[in-house]
Amino acid sequence: MRHLIPLLLLTTPAHAWEFTPTPICTLTHTEARADVELTYDHTTRLYAIKVTTPQAWPAAPAFSIRFDGAAPNTISTQRHQTDGATLTVTDSGFGNVLDGLEFNTTATAFTQTAAVTVSLEGAAEPVQKFRACTTAPVA
């Protein structure tokens, strides 16, 4: 039994938030319900968030993200695109999104007819690294 518990822990998928500074600033998170990817490209000065779910996102006039926890907030836009199972929003500023990810416990991405909630456990430090990457001078 002592040997079974560590084995079970190794086979459980990790649901960590991860930051990568190259080739562009990237923050990722994977759960069974959704994959989340944030990027910042210094060359275009654009942020993007992609939420990919097992099912296709339905066409919808608006997309929102609700953050629940210590600093709750809901952000909405009509400037989103869907491509099958991936919904993408691109903008020149993501301060509210980054605050939501860093200071809350869950994020719910939703349209009028579809929603997915992901955990923000462990997101704070990778979000801080992502912020530093986006403001770092480019050589």
Side-chain angles (χ1 to χ4, degrees), residues 37-55:
E37 178 185 74
L38 274 81
T39 57
Y40 177 76
D41 186 338
H42 283 93
T43 60
T44 62
R45 297 185 177 174
L46 289 176
Y47 292 85
I49 184 169
K50 295 180 181 182
V51 181
T52 304
T53 60
Q55 310 81 16

Side-chain angles (χ1 to χ4, degrees), residues 31-35 52-57 84-85 116:
E31 290 185 15
R33 295 172 289 218
D35 294 335
T52 304
T53 60
Q55 310 81 16
W57 282 94
V116 63

Side-chain angles (χ1 to χ4, degrees), residues 23-110:
I24 62 174
C25 304
T26 304
L27 182 65
T28 58
H29 178 69
T30 299
E31 290 185 15
R33 295 172 289 218
D35 294 335
V36 179
E37 178 185 74
L38 274 81
T39 57
Y40 177 76
D41 186 338
H42 283 93
T43 60
T44 62
R45 297 185 177 174
L46 289 176
Y47 292 85
I49 184 169
K50 295 180 181 182
V51 181
T52 304
T53 60
Q55 310 81 16
W57 282 94
F63 168 73
S64 302
I65 301 177
R66 184 183 70 237
F67 299 101
D68 294 305
N73 192 11
T74 301
I75 304 163
S76 298
T77 185
Q78 295 178 339
R79 296 181 300 160
H80 62 287
Q81 298 176 333
T82 55
D83 183 11
T86 301
L87 187 146
T88 304
V89 177
T90 305
D91 202 344
S92 59
F94 260 38
N96 287 337
V97 173
L98 295 175
D99 287 349
L101 295 172
E102 184 173 354
F103 302 117
N104 289 288
T105 56
T106 61
T108 302
F110 65 97

Side-chain angles (χ1 to χ4, degrees), residues 104-124:
N104 289 288
T105 56
T106 61
T108 302
F110 65 97
T111 64
Q112 287 76 358
T113 59
V116 63
T117 300
V118 296
S119 171
L120 299 178
E121 182 179 344

